[in-house]
Amino acid sequence: MDKSRQQFEEEIAKYLNVSIEFIGKERRGDRYYSYSMNFAFDVWQASRESLINSLELVGYINPVAQLCIKRKLNAAIKPSKEDNSIPLYRLD
């Protein structure tokens, strides 16, 4: 399960005052048995995408740079996308 879905299920469980296990049982593949739950998840995804689309792209980092960042070391930010690189966005 991806992080966005996990966050959605945690929040919807709080909102509906049910257990996270109950929400998990309602899932069938990447959808839910309930039309309203599918709608809520679609809205959740759209809001996440709009947040990402409004962020300023700083550059790209590769897996080695990711490891350096996790270890609190300096890492190079590349201006263009390369194989296995991920986008890096300004959050301030």
Side-chain angles (χ1 to χ4, degrees), residues 56-66 68-69 74-89:
E56 177 188 346
L57 180 65
V58 174
Y60 297 88
I61 58 173
N62 62 24
V64 173
Q66 290 175 322
C68 288
I69 291 169
N74 291 334
I77 299 172
K78 308 285 182 171
S80 59
K81 186 166 177 57
E82 299 173 350
D83 290 339
N84 298 326
S85 63
I86 62 167
L88 187 64
Y89 297 97

Side-chain angles (χ1 to χ4, degrees), residues 15-72:
Y15 179 77
L16 296 174
N17 198 27
V18 296
S19 70
I20 192 75
E21 291 80 18
F22 176 82
I23 300 297
K25 289 177 185 173
E26 291 296 307
R27 190 177 348 106
R28 59 175 177 175
D30 65 344
R31 302 302 290 166
Y32 296 92
Y33 286 110
S34 162
Y35 174 79
S36 341
M37 187 80 81
N38 284 321
F39 179 73
F41 183 66
D42 291 343
V43 169
W44 175 274
Q45 288 293 91
S47 71
R48 294 295 169 138
E49 287 175 16
S50 72
L51 287 173
I52 289 172
N53 291 336
S54 67
L55 296 175
E56 177 188 346
L57 180 65
V58 174
Y60 297 88
I61 58 173
N62 62 24
V64 173
Q66 290 175 322
L67 185 59
C68 288
I69 291 169
K70 286 180 184 175
R71 293 182 178 172
K72 298 184 180 177

